């Protein structure tokens, strides 16, 4: 079997890269936790694991926006969060479509469900109603972060031992899941097999925030009605089951470019536009990668990526959190 670097294959490379990188980060963090509890050789904690702590990053952003102080506990998490905001505003929901490992898994579940003949679509209005919970969750988190908590409360939480070791508790959720957690994850997986991208469409408050930013951004998804043949391939490959005629800036569109690269029309009935001008299919993927790389480079150069906490103190905190 031969493999050709087609636009379809190239458009998937960023998501594969970030997913595999997430696995590497997760493994390195697991080794660090083993070291912290005295069950393995010395290992460093990977700062990138903080990308899995969006609530902590949101609180860190609140402190940064109001006081100018960069989060000293999870600095990389704040850098990743701000990068996600930036790439999603400029390049659709570029974080969701090209970086997020949860989006990667959701996309693969949806494709598996389609191959098994399980995939189903819902009427637009019902889909919109089912998407309300993610906006309610987003409203709760934003209200709590920016209105219910004062500056002292935010600073206290960010510097608490609980927040310092939040990633350890996240690890325990996956390595020692309770029955309820297993049932919930299984239900979400089954839901994802039947309704493509259901978690992203209906439940993810992070995606809801990024979708709102993409709504007012300069990049749009455009359908050329004259060039469209009505073949339906665009919706068939869309990881969130979005019809191409949903408007130029649908908040559920992740900017993954699947619809654009799948369009059989020579004139590209589906395409991106940037500031009102037609843009290449690779705009969102390349743009998301560029923003992430820039955020990483700047954070490292300014010393805003790695937490400056003594390794011995850090290990003791994690040992306590992990019950070691």
């Amino acid at each position: 079997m031969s493999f050709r670097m087609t636009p379809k294959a190239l458009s998937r490379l960023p998501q594969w890269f970030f997913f595999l990188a997430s696995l590497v980060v997760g493994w390195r963090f697991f080794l660090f936790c083993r070291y912290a509890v005295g069950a393995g050789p010395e290992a460093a904690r990977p700062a990138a694991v903080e990308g899995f702590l969006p609530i902590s990053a949101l609180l860190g952003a609140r402190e940064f926006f109001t006081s100018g102080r960069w989060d000293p506990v999870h600095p990389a998490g704040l850098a990743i969060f701000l990068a996600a905001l930036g790439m999603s505003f400029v390049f659709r929901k570029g974080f969701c479509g090209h970086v997020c490992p949860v989006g990667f898994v959701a996309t693969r579940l949806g494709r598996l469900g389609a191959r098994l003949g399980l995939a189903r679509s819902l009427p637009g209005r019902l889909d919109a109603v089912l998407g309300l919970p993610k906006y309610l969750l987003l409203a709760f988190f934003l209200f709590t972060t920016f209105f219910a908590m004062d500056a002292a409360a935010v600073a206290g939480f960010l510097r608490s031992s609980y927040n310092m070791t939040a990633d350890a508790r996240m690890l325990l959720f996956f390595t020692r899941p309770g029955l309820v957690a297993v049932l919930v994850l299984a239900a979400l997986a089954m839901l994802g097999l039947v309704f493509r991208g259901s978690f992203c469409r209906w439940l993810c408050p992070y995606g809801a925030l990024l979708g709102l930013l993409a709504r007012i951004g300069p990049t749009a998804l455009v359908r050329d009605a004259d060039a469209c043949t009505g073949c339906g391939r665009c919706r068939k490959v869309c990881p969130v089951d979005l019809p191409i005629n949903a408007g130029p800036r649908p908040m559920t569109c992740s900017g993954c470019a699947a619809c654009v690269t799948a369009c059989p029309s020579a004139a590209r009935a589906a395409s991106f536009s940037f500031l009102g001008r037609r843009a290449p299919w690779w705009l969102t993927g390349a743009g998301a990668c560029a923003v992430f790389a820039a955020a990483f480079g700047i954070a490292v150069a300014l010393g805003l990526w790695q937490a400056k906490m003594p390794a011995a103190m850090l290990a003791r905190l994690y040992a306590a959190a992990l019950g070691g």
Side-chain angles (χ1 to χ4, degrees):
M1 181 182 294
S2 62
F3 177 77
R4 295 187 302 123
M5 293 304 288
T6 61
K8 176 181 176 181
L10 286 170
S11 68
R12 295 177 178 178
L13 284 182
Q15 203 175 47
W16 271 103
F17 171 81
F18 283 106
F19 176 72
L20 294 176
S22 297
L23 293 181
V24 172
V25 169
W27 177 248
R28 289 181 58 203
F29 182 64
F30 174 74
L31 294 178
F32 165 75
C33 289
R34 280 178 55 84
Y35 156 67
V37 297
E42 184 174 355
R45 174 183 171 276
V49 74
E50 296 166 12
F52 294 93
L53 305 174
I55 296 176
S56 178
L58 180 63
L59 287 162
R62 150 73 193 273
E63 184 174 59
F64 176 67
F65 292 145
T66 56
S67 69
R69 290 193 297 270
W70 196 268
D71 184 5
V73 177
H74 295 308
L78 179 54
I80 294 171
F81 180 71
L82 294 180
L85 297 183
M87 69 179 72
S88 296
F89 171 70
V90 182
F91 302 110
R92 298 298 306 152
K93 289 168 63 177
F95 181 83
C96 300
H98 300 283
V99 179
C100 180
V102 177
F104 176 92
V105 174
T107 297
R108 270 67 205 172
L109 279 174
R111 289 176 182 162
L112 177 60
R115 290 173 183 170
L116 296 175
L118 300 174
R120 298 291 184 272
S121 294
L122 294 175
R125 290 186 179 179
L126 177 57
D127 185 67
V129 171
L130 291 172
L132 288 177
K134 68 180 181 182
Y135 295 106
L136 295 176
L137 286 170
L138 174 63
F140 169 77
F141 288 128
L142 291 179
F143 175 80
T144 302
T145 300
F146 289 93
F147 298 99
M149 298 177 69
D150 59 19
V154 171
F157 176 83
L158 288 175
R159 291 155 181 79
S160 66
S161 59
Y162 180 90
N163 181 54
M164 288 180 183
T165 57
D167 42 13
R169 292 173 176 82
M170 175 191 65
L171 179 67
L172 290 176
F173 176 82
F174 290 101
T175 57
R176 305 175 195 170
L179 177 61
V180 174
V182 171
L183 292 176
V184 169
L185 290 175
L188 290 175
M190 290 300 299
L191 200 63
L193 286 172
V194 180
F195 302 106
R196 279 176 285 161
S198 52
F199 175 80
C200 306
R201 288 156 61 189
W202 303 336
L203 297 172
C204 180
Y206 201 176
L209 173 61
L210 302 183
L212 291 171
L213 289 173
R215 182 78 174 180
I216 59 175
T219 303
L221 179 64
V222 179
R223 172 180 176 262
D224 185 343
D226 295 330
C228 183
T229 63
C231 68
R233 291 188 187 180
C234 51
R235 184 169 186 176
K236 186 177 179 180
V237 300
C238 178
V240 291
D241 195 20
L242 184 69
I244 194 66
N245 59 355
R249 290 180 173 82
M251 289 187 288
T252 53
C253 170
S254 64
C256 68
C259 60
V260 179
T261 58
C263 182
S265 170
R268 286 286 187 209
S271 64
F272 290 123
S273 70
F274 185 79
L275 294 175
R277 297 185 177 183
R278 193 180 183 109
W281 62 265
W282 46 261
L283 172 71
T284 55
C289 291
V291 171
F292 191 94
F296 172 73
I298 293 171
V300 170
L302 297 179
L304 302 175
W305 182 259
Q306 199 79 37
K308 298 178 178 63
M309 189 178 299
M313 176 182 175
L314 195 65
R316 287 196 298 271
L317 287 171
Y318 276 85
L322 294 165

